[in-house]
Amino acid sequence: MGENPAKSHYAQLNQGEENEMEIFGYKTQGCRKALCIAGYILSCGALLLLFYWKPEWDVWANCIRCSLEEADIVLLRTTDEFRTYSRKTVTWISVSALIESRSDYPATAEEDSIFSKAIMKPSLQVKSIQVQKIRYVWNIYAKEFQKVGALEDHHTCSAIHAKFGSGLTCNEQNVRSVICGPNTIDVPVIPVWKLLIKEVLNPFYVFQLFSVCLWFAEDYMEYATAIIIMSLLSIFLTVYDLRQQSIKLHRLVESHNNIMVTVCRNKEGFQELESHHLVPGDTLVLKEGKTLLPCDAILISGQCVVNESMLTGESIPVTKTHLPQADNFKPWRMHCAEDYKKHVLFCGTEVIQTKADDRGIVKAVVLRTGFNTAKGDLVRSILYPKPMNFKLYRDALRFLMCLIAFAAIGMIYAVCVFALNGEEAGEVVKKALDVITIAVPPALPAALTTGIIYTQRRLKKKGIFCISPQRINMCGQLNLICFDKTGTLTEDGLDLWGLLPSERNCFQDIHNFPVDRSLPWGPAFRAMAVCHSLIVWQGKIQGDPLDVKMFEATNWVIDDSSGHQIEGQGSTHATVVRPGPKASSAPVEGITILHQFPFSSALQRMSVIAQEIGGEQQIFTKGAPEMVAMLCRAETVPSNFENKLLLYTAQGFRVIGLACKSLQAGKQSTDLTREEVESDLTFLGLLIMENRLKRETKPVLEELSAARIRSVMVTGDNIQTAVTVAKNAGMISPTNRVILVEANQIPGSLSASITWKPLEENKTEDYRSLEDDSQTERRIRLALESGQYHFAMSGKSYQMVTQHFRHLLPKLLLNGTVFARMSPGQKSSLVEEFQKLDYFVGMCGDGANDCGALKVAHAGISLSEQEASVASPFTSRTPSIACVPELIREGRAALVTSFCMFKYMALYSTIQYLGVLLLYWQLNSFGNYQFLFQDLAITTVIGVTMSFTGAYPKLVPYRPPSQLVSPPLLLSVVLNILFSLSMQIFGFVAVQQQPWYSRTDIHSACLSMNNHMENYSSISSLGLHGIRGEALEQTDNGYKSYENTTVWLLSTINCLIVALVFSKGKPFRQPIYTNYVFILVLIGQLGICLFLVFADIDDLYSKMDLVCTPTMWRISMVIMLAVTLAVSFLVEEAVIENRPLWLLLKKTFQYHSKSHYKRLQRVLEQDSAWPPLNETFFSDSVAISVEGNMGGHSNPTFDSNEDAL
């Protein structure tokens, strides 16, 4: 083969993507397979079950390693910390029927496409695998598996127009169709039998089955039957739930799996076909009227308006423009940078309107099909959710391992005791195995999830939907929330406040809205009338709220009725705006919008080419004032531009810059590139909009601040506006200083500079932004020394810092509060950087441009109208940030509930285990109904009702512990185990010391009392003894003894004590008495238990395998229990829950949190030179040393080492 065999055996799939995997090649070997089959038969299927749980063992046992080229089986392993394995069989696709002759072969597809590189000659077959619904084919030349179903990324803009503009031939289309598979997002409804088998083969139920078989062998008939009924009920409920989810998902995707579409065929004209036949490279023709898109496609001619609410949760129509015909060598996606989405129509979205250009039809090239599309990706993320690595679940597994080790000790003890007493080997094995079923609580996984299910229900009632329930516990750990500004902290709609026109590089008088007279006709008015992407849909003007407000101020209307003749361009469908009935007189009949360059977050601007009816063509641009001013000719920008901008932004206004230029005659508007259009503009003025804070913003941020949860603003708006909003909202308190961090590339060199400037208030009339006098300097220094400062930086500076000043980034993030002019990509990156500092990050945004950040954060909360916005785990139906503290409260309560359940389940199984081991000493055990009563009447009912306790309404300034192995929690479990053990041993030993105790005669106690009371003769006493003895002997099944009665009653009521002590109330959950159901259950159970202690009903005692004891002994048992309750309660309150005590211990032993950000805080407190003020650093000249503990961040995205108490 010539290659390193080890290298060719292994490769990476989807490198650098979210679903990255490692792939290994294997070949099935006959003799190995035969041995495995023999193993299956001999082990009665146990080996097969093991291979089902561990697919990698199956592959290693059945196959031998080989290169991926020769492999017929591949083993896949995820690259995350879970390293999950899966096994896939390699399949062969034949295309020989489609390629009649060898000469016909090259025409099947272009030479550089994956389709031509995957077909093996001479067999004309393609080797493929299917992973998580996506097909990969073997590239013969690159010797690797590559994704099909998507157009290759290497095509340039001009190549897409040239190669695919006129469509594929029928033959090319057929070959591609066979290799890619159908263009459907098919989620079949999983048959019930499949779901049942999958559920039954869960290790938890297999363990249940093992336990049940064992109990039947030991004659625990009733108990085993009860457990079978419960397990079946649980299985059916789970299967029903999964089936409903499957049906729901199937319905979600089936709507557009098959619709009729029109495609261009090379040399054959147009063809109508069903959408499942579409392949990457096909050219779609988009007709007028509404259409659902069956695939992702790149628009190559014309313009579309699309409703993308299904993907982003935003119901604002989005304008899509065609891909430019740029002649360069950059792949199209790199050429369009972050704006490539403006040319892509996504699957599942709805085209509301199409506008043809001079070429007459609207065409799009199919980019991705099936599960490769945006919608397919979403469906796959629901079908294959990312596993959550939360400490609680890891600790739970470790804890189970400890219990198993604990059980192993008990098994050895049981074997020794029973074997030494000469029991039969079969009995010894049964008793030893019984210990495992007692020590490992089979209901543990179910108990842990009940709390989360109840929390999810409570959240739903409050209008918060959750598609990833595991993240609820994580919300309890959040200590930093990033907020988007517009629509999240501030009102969605903006109000127009004023227009500041500029003429001949001077600002004119401001025009206020709505008080002043109507706007005078002029270039600024024209810009407001046409520079937008509004459409008329369902009789209403729809689009960006800012655009709507701006256009409404002109009193013009949109005439969207028909195609309009434009000189020299033939007929085209264009938007025309005309003066409305209320408009002031204008010298024109209307203005036609010929072409749009839509708004882009990355470019921070939008432009249109418009033409007055009967007049010349003009270009209008609007966007971030700094950006617009840069694109204008310097002589048209007023000299006091920056001062004026600062004046308005510092008051919290949103400011938009306007500019225009005339287009030279004879230039075709469709041939112009965006760069040509947006250059040498004339500055027209500033549009000033008011963006009011939402009513609930300030109280919510104050509540978070009081709970010591950091708030950070991440916005696309101007930095000064953002800082003002942050101050008004209470993110930055009035006494705190704001330091502006600016990082810039040094022109003509590869290095960069970074500057720290204090941002001062508007205190003087001439509005000086940066004061330099010594008094201010001193005042600022004082504020800095007390740690009361905040950094503010723009997206551009953030980008520079990540590239050139990586070592400063953690320090800047530690006090960074305002991040302005951030692009969607930078928002995601910022969230990840915060996570590297060990923060638990929540992100709250309103959809589209926050999608990435919402997905990356530990808890993404989308304020969207849609019931479940696709991007985020949580969606709030009410678009208000009041859902954030609500979610944190519920998360904390759910986390504490999980810990309570854990401690309770651990103690219940330990109490039962200790009781059984004590009785083993006398070759005894608990009876059938005794086990049944403890497991069903006590534990199951408590397990279900304990989690009903709601969240505490006040957020306290600390978080619950994030891990099970925190010292308070472990101490609590260990101490309570010791209390239980002491009480049970004391009861076990004390009962044997009683004068009435007899090991063989289980009726001696009550009889001896009767003798004293009724003074019977010895003969009658003997006779009575005989009769009673005989009657009872018939029902005695060997479990009855004084020790059994004592230990069972003590351990049963001990379970109730533990449940009460562990049911935490404040500070994270409401007091326990508010959980009425739980309190009633406990009182009811306690009543029954006390009745069993004091009742003396022969039939009942006989059924429960209890024996009669003197009243004094019963009272003694109650006293023992009361003492245990008092001690346990006292220890839990005075030691375990005593936060000041643990903080003192931390201080005494100098324990410091291991979290990166805490360590960095301690370092910076000692650093008097931080933050530097009015200083500039250069990236190449000053290399600042990085703290040792800050080097090489790992990204513990779902992990924190913080031992918060």
Side-chain angles (χ1 to χ4, degrees):
M1 233 163 26
E3 289 173 50
N4 171 5
K7 184 81 187 85
S8 62
H9 158 71
Y10 155 87
Q12 278 200 320
L13 214 57
N14 308 327
Q15 204 162 358
E17 291 179 41
E18 206 177 334
N19 54 345
E20 186 180 76
M21 288 182 176
E22 293 169 315
I23 179 169
F24 304 90
Y26 286 90
K27 199 159 48 180
T28 316
Q29 203 182 30
C31 56
R32 277 177 175 238
K33 199 164 179 121
L35 280 170
C36 285
I37 291 167
Y40 301 154
I41 296 162
L42 293 172
S43 66
C44 302
L47 186 63
L48 197 58
L49 186 64
L50 190 65
F51 284 169
Y52 170 77
W53 290 336
K54 290 273 185 192
E56 65 272 30
W57 294 3
D58 179 13
V59 174
W60 295 335
N62 280 289
C63 312
I64 51 167
R65 275 175 60 160
C66 69
S67 69
L68 282 165
E69 200 166 2
E70 303 165 301
D72 59 2
I73 298 280
V74 292
L75 190 60
L76 297 152
R77 182 172 68 189
T78 58
T79 52
D80 55 19
E81 63 267 53
F82 298 99
R83 321 280 280 177
T84 318
Y85 282 95
S86 55
R87 168 190 186 276
K88 296 286 168 195
T89 309
V90 176
T91 53
W92 292 88
I93 302 166
S94 172
V95 289
S96 54
L98 301 169
I99 303 170
E100 284 82 18
S101 62
R102 294 297 299 278
S103 61
D104 188 29
Y105 170 70
T108 56
E110 334 81 85
E111 281 306 304
D112 63 345
S113 91
I114 178 68
F115 300 100
S116 56
K117 291 176 182 171
I119 299 172
M120 295 190 177
K121 305 177 204 78
S123 64
L124 297 180
Q125 282 186 318
V126 177
K127 183 176 172 180
S128 77
I129 54 170
Q130 187 140 329
V131 183
Q132 291 187 349
K133 304 276 185 191
I134 286 188
R135 190 178 284 185
Y136 298 82
V137 297
W138 181 255
N139 182 331
I140 307 159
Y141 303 100
K143 300 215 177 303
E144 63 179 9
F145 279 105
Q146 282 181 0
K147 211 183 268 189
V148 285
L151 213 57
E152 286 98 329
D153 282 340
H154 61 72
H155 292 298
T156 60
C157 294
S158 50
I160 288 175
H161 281 279
K163 277 182 186 166
F164 305 111
S166 52
L168 300 171
T169 64
C170 266
N171 200 17
E172 282 175 337
Q173 202 267 347
N174 290 338
V175 171
R176 286 180 177 226
S177 184
V178 170
I179 295 174
C180 293
N183 167 38
T184 54
I185 300 173
D186 193 22
V187 183
V189 176
I190 308 165
V192 173
W193 64 269
K194 261 191 184 173
L195 288 169
L196 258 175
I197 290 172
K198 201 173 174 188
E199 193 60 26
V200 169
L201 294 181
N202 181 329
F204 164 64
Y205 288 116
V206 172
F207 177 61
Q208 288 275 47
L209 186 71
F210 158 74
S211 307
V212 166
C213 293
L214 185 67
W215 295 328
F216 273 124
E218 290 187 332
D219 280 342
Y220 282 141
M221 295 293 178
E222 293 91 338
Y223 183 61
T225 312
I227 293 292
I228 287 175
I229 292 166
M230 278 184 64
S231 298
L232 286 175
L233 199 68
S234 166
I235 287 171
F236 285 129
L237 279 173
T238 312
V239 166
Y240 174 75
D241 200 36
L242 288 170
R243 172 85 177 175
Q244 290 305 103
Q245 279 177 16
S246 181
I247 292 169
K248 202 172 169 185
L249 199 55
H250 177 73
R251 285 190 186 140
L252 174 79
V253 296
E254 72 177 340
S255 57
H256 64 272
N257 266 345
N258 221 352
I259 47 185
M260 292 307 289
V261 290
T262 308
V263 292
C264 281
R265 280 277 163 264
N266 202 347
K267 306 186 183 84
E268 295 169 37
F270 299 118
Q271 183 187 349
E272 285 250 330
L273 57 103
E274 289 177 334
S275 63
H276 66 84
H277 292 303
L278 288 174
V279 295
D282 259 333
T283 305
L284 274 179
V285 177
L286 297 169
K287 304 271 180 70
E288 274 197 37
K290 281 191 196 176
T291 27
L292 258 177
L293 281 163
C295 59
D296 287 1
I298 311 169
L299 200 59
I300 56 167
S301 73
Q303 186 175 312
C304 289
V305 178
V306 186
N307 176 10
E308 291 190 341
S309 63
M310 182 255 143
L311 286 181
T312 61
E314 280 196 300
S315 49
I316 295 169
V318 184
T319 304
K320 303 281 183 177
T321 55
H322 66 74
L323 188 74
Q325 280 189 320
D327 259 339
N328 61 11
F329 300 105
K330 273 190 189 167
W332 71 278
R333 214 169 275 208
M334 281 170 69
H335 170 75
C336 303
E338 274 200 4
D339 276 337
Y340 77 91
K341 287 183 179 170
K342 294 286 169 200
H343 313 302
V344 179
L345 305 169
F346 292 105
C347 175
T349 60
E350 189 179 34
V351 177
I352 302 166
Q353 204 181 65
T354 56
K355 292 181 184 177
D357 52 20
D358 50 339
R359 279 165 285 191
I361 50 173
V362 180
K363 289 198 292 191
V365 172
V366 176
L367 174 64
R368 291 180 286 253
T369 58
F371 278 96
N372 292 287
T373 60
K375 179 155 187 180
D377 213 32
L378 148 70
V379 175
R380 281 176 49 244
S381 71
I382 299 170
L383 286 173
Y384 310 103
K386 232 177 148 186
M388 298 289 296
N389 183 16
F390 189 44
K391 273 230 167 88
L392 180 67
Y393 301 109
R394 273 206 325 239
D395 289 349
L397 281 174
R398 286 180 191 156
F399 191 77
L400 275 176
M401 291 301 134
C402 291
L403 285 179
I404 290 167
F406 205 37
I409 298 166
M411 280 175 76
I412 296 163
Y413 162 82
V415 169
C416 297
V417 170
F418 283 98
L420 290 172
N421 280 287
E423 288 282 335
E424 289 173 27
E427 274 304 303
V428 174
V429 170
K430 272 194 259 178
K431 293 289 182 198
L433 290 175
D434 214 7
V435 175
I436 290 191
T437 66
I438 293 166
V440 181
L444 186 66
L448 278 182
T449 50
T450 49
I452 291 175
I453 291 165
Y454 295 144
T455 307
Q456 200 175 350
R457 216 175 282 166
R458 282 199 295 271
L459 286 172
K460 198 168 183 178
K461 277 184 189 162
K462 290 170 183 167
I464 301 168
F465 299 95
C466 169
I467 57 170
S468 174
Q470 290 87 3
R471 293 204 189 220
I472 291 176
N473 274 343
M474 214 168 268
C475 292
Q477 284 296 306
L478 295 180
N479 55 359
L480 184 148
I481 313 283
C482 295
F483 291 100
D484 179 35
K485 181 179 80 70
T486 314
T488 305
L489 297 174
T490 58
E491 293 289 354
D492 209 0
L494 294 152
D495 290 323
L496 213 52
W497 186 82
L499 172 69
L500 189 66
S502 163
E503 271 178 46
R504 295 183 298 282
N505 81 3
C506 284
F507 281 118
Q508 308 299 304
D509 292 340
I510 186 152
H511 181 100
N512 284 84
F513 295 98
V515 231
D516 288 11
R517 67 218 174 283
S518 56
L519 271 174
W521 174 256
F525 184 97
R526 288 200 291 277
M528 286 171 67
V530 297
C531 196
H532 51 72
S533 52
L534 300 174
I535 63 151
V536 175
W537 183 38
Q538 295 175 345
K540 267 175 73 183
I541 292 179
Q542 301 255 354
D544 188 299
L546 183 149
D547 285 359
V548 174
K549 283 278 189 236
M550 177 185 78
F551 182 69
E552 282 174 352
T554 63
N555 286 324
W556 279 39
V557 291
I558 296 177
D559 171 14
D560 206 18
S561 53
S562 58
H564 299 275
Q565 291 295 324
I566 292 149
E567 293 156 41
Q569 288 198 18
S571 172
T572 174
H573 191 98
T575 304
V576 174
V577 291
R578 302 180 189 278
K582 293 182 189 170
S584 55
S585 62
V588 292
E589 186 195 328
I591 307 175
T592 310
I593 302 169
L594 303 176
H595 188 72
Q596 284 182 13
F597 296 97
F599 175 77
S600 135
S601 307
L603 300 174
Q604 297 170 359
R605 60 180 180 268
M606 74 158 292
S607 298
V608 295
I609 300 172
Q611 181 178 21
E612 287 178 15
I613 293 177
E616 60 165 4
Q617 292 188 11
Q618 278 187 308
I619 288 158
F620 294 95
T621 298
K622 81 168 194 300
E626 311 93 322
M627 192 55 85
V628 171
M630 272 165 55
L631 303 171
C632 291
R633 299 198 310 280
E635 64 270 19
T636 67
V637 181
S639 53
N640 60 343
F641 167 78
E642 285 186 5
N643 285 355
K644 283 285 187 196
L645 179 60
L646 209 52
L647 175 69
Y648 291 109
T649 52
Q651 294 171 57
F653 288 117
R654 175 119 182 240
V655 184
I656 307 289
L658 301 172
C660 76
K661 76 169 176 185
S662 292
L663 198 62
Q664 302 102 315
K667 274 255 186 179
Q668 281 280 57
S669 65
T670 47
D671 297 340
L672 292 169
T673 65
R674 191 159 189 162
E675 289 72 34
E676 287 174 306
V677 168
E678 294 169 344
S679 60
D680 297 330
L681 301 168
T682 303
F683 186 73
L684 294 178
L686 298 173
L687 195 62
I688 299 152
M689 318 208 61
E690 204 171 9
N691 198 191
R692 297 193 186 97
L693 275 183
K694 286 185 179 173
R695 208 177 52 249
E696 59 278 358
T697 296
K698 201 167 181 179
V700 166
L701 292 178
E702 280 169 358
E703 185 181 4
L704 293 177
S705 169
R708 309 231 332 242
I709 295 168
R710 247 184 91 182
S711 299
V712 169
M713 187 192 291
V714 190
T715 175
D717 208 341
N718 171 291
I719 194 158
Q720 193 74 46
T721 308
V723 168
T724 311
V725 170
K727 284 181 174 175
N728 295 344
M731 258 187 199
I732 299 172
S733 80
T735 55
N736 292 2
R737 288 275 157 252
V738 179
I739 299 168
L740 186 64
V741 179
E742 280 186 343
N744 293 299
Q745 187 97 30
I746 297 167
S749 79
L750 291 172
S751 63
S753 67
I754 185 167
T755 313
W756 282 262
K757 301 178 193 168
L759 202 64
E760 265 304 299
E761 297 300 306
N762 178 10
K763 298 255 168 52
T764 53
E765 276 309 303
D766 61 333
Y767 198 87
R768 289 181 308 177
S769 161
L770 307 168
E771 299 181 24
D772 293 324
D773 48 79
S774 56
Q775 189 185 349
T776 313
E777 192 73 43
R778 261 203 316 278
R779 196 170 73 242
I780 292 170
R781 218 358 108 197
L782 252 161
L784 299 186
E785 279 162 16
S786 60
Q788 299 172 322
Y789 60 91
H790 299 264
F791 290 128
M793 65 165 91
S794 66
K796 192 173 108 218
S797 299
Y798 173 77
Q799 201 67 33
M800 284 293 129
V801 170
T802 52
Q803 285 168 8
H804 297 277
F805 301 97
R806 192 83 211 161
H807 56 282
L808 289 176
L809 189 60
K811 293 179 174 186
L812 291 169
L813 293 184
L814 206 59
N815 284 79
T817 303
V818 175
F819 296 86
R821 294 274 184 246
M822 297 285 275
S823 69
Q826 287 167 341
K827 286 185 181 183
S828 309
S829 154
L830 180 72
V831 169
E832 284 180 323
E833 292 300 334
F834 274 127
Q835 287 171 338
K836 287 179 190 175
L837 289 179
D838 288 345
Y839 278 110
F840 272 80
V841 185
M843 171 77 200
C844 183
D846 59 351
N849 55 354
D850 305 317
C851 275
L854 288 169
K855 268 189 173 157
V856 173
H858 290 120
I861 309 150
S862 163
L863 308 180
S864 160
E865 313 292 305
Q866 306 290 315
E867 184 164 303
S869 170
V870 169
S872 61
F874 300 97
T875 308
S876 168
R877 194 186 270 165
T878 45
S880 128
I881 63 165
C883 63
V884 175
E886 198 55 66
L887 196 57
I888 295 172
R889 272 194 285 273
E890 289 293 356
R892 287 179 172 188
L895 193 56
V896 171
T897 302
S898 293
F899 287 140
C900 292
M901 281 309 303
F902 221 100
K903 285 162 69 174
Y904 174 70
M905 293 310 274
L907 258 131
Y908 138 74
S909 56
T910 311
I911 290 168
Q912 205 178 56
Y913 167 82
L914 294 172
V916 169
L917 291 192
L918 271 175
L919 293 177
Y920 273 8
W921 188 252
Q922 295 208 322
L923 307 185
N924 198 341
S925 182
F926 287 157
N928 206 330
Y929 285 103
Q930 290 178 331
F931 273 129
L932 203 57
F933 185 81
Q934 276 190 355
D935 287 3
L936 294 189
I938 304 281
T939 304
T940 309
V941 182
I942 285 177
V944 170
T945 56
M946 197 187 217
S947 313
F948 282 158
T949 315
Y952 193 62
K954 186 180 184 302
L955 278 177
V956 287
Y958 49 91
R959 300 173 296 159
S962 65
Q963 49 197 42
L964 272 171
V965 289
S966 62
L969 233 140
L970 281 182
L971 187 66
S972 171
V973 171
V974 170
L975 286 177
N976 276 288
I977 287 174
L978 290 175
F979 298 152
S980 297
L981 184 64
S982 315
M983 181 178 64
Q984 290 193 28
I985 290 177
F986 180 73
F988 184 80
V989 173
V991 76
Q992 295 174 354
Q993 308 305 317
Q994 299 305 312
W996 42 262
Y997 171 78
S998 158
R999 183 158 183 186
T1000 50
D1001 181 3
I1002 53 171
H1003 309 293
S1004 58
C1006 289
L1007 286 178
S1008 56
M1009 283 170 67
N1010 288 349
N1011 276 342
H1012 291 299
M1013 285 160 64
E1014 296 181 19
N1015 202 6
Y1016 276 139
S1017 67
S1018 59
I1019 302 154
S1020 63
S1021 111
L1022 275 171
L1024 179 66
H1025 179 203
I1027 298 159
R1028 218 172 143 172
E1030 278 170 30
L1032 291 172
E1033 275 310 311
Q1034 295 162 4
T1035 56
D1036 185 9
N1037 48 14
Y1039 294 122
K1040 291 178 183 168
S1041 71
Y1042 291 119
E1043 290 90 346
N1044 172 298
T1045 301
T1046 304
V1047 169
W1048 185 78
L1049 287 170
L1050 289 176
S1051 63
T1052 306
I1053 301 176
N1054 195 1
C1055 287
L1056 299 181
I1057 290 172
V1058 165
L1060 183 68
V1061 169
F1062 284 167
S1063 289
K1064 296 272 182 340
K1066 290 196 292 190
F1068 301 113
R1069 302 201 307 166
Q1070 286 183 345
I1072 191 65
Y1073 55 76
T1074 59
N1075 186 349
Y1076 311 119
V1077 183
F1078 180 61
I1079 291 295
L1080 286 172
V1081 160
L1082 274 186
I1083 292 169
Q1085 290 174 333
L1086 185 64
I1088 295 167
C1089 290
L1090 289 175
F1091 176 72
L1092 284 174
V1093 172
F1094 288 105
D1096 198 357
I1097 304 163
D1098 280 352
D1099 286 349
L1100 178 67
Y1101 268 34
S1102 169
K1103 203 75 174 149
M1104 293 299 296
D1105 295 315
L1106 298 173
V1107 293
C1108 174
T1109 54
T1111 311
M1112 259 335 278
W1113 178 247
R1114 301 178 198 205
I1115 293 167
S1116 310
M1117 285 198 286
V1118 174
I1119 292 168
M1120 278 187 247
L1121 288 160
V1123 169
T1124 308
L1125 171 64
V1127 172
S1128 185
F1129 196 79
L1130 203 72
V1131 166
E1132 195 75 15
E1133 288 302 310
V1135 179
I1136 310 299
E1137 292 295 301
N1138 187 344
R1139 187 171 156 79
L1141 173 71
W1142 289 100
L1143 291 174
L1144 184 72
L1145 285 171
K1146 273 184 169 185
K1147 214 169 185 179
T1148 313
F1149 293 104
Q1150 293 191 331
Y1151 171 82
H1152 292 302
S1153 166
K1154 298 189 197 79
S1155 298
H1156 264 123
Y1157 74 93
K1158 291 264 189 184
R1159 293 197 331 232
L1160 189 58
Q1161 263 168 355
R1162 290 195 292 273
V1163 171
L1164 292 185
E1165 276 165 16
Q1166 312 304 316
D1167 187 353
S1168 58
W1170 182 264
L1173 266 189
N1174 297 321
E1175 285 183 43
T1176 304
F1177 294 173
F1178 297 94
S1179 60
D1180 52 355
S1181 57
V1182 182
I1184 300 161
S1185 67
V1186 187
E1187 281 80 19
N1189 60 14
M1190 287 309 302
H1193 291 307
S1194 61
N1195 184 358
T1197 310
F1198 298 117
D1199 197 0
S1200 155
N1201 296 327
E1202 181 165 11
D1203 292 293
L1205 278 164

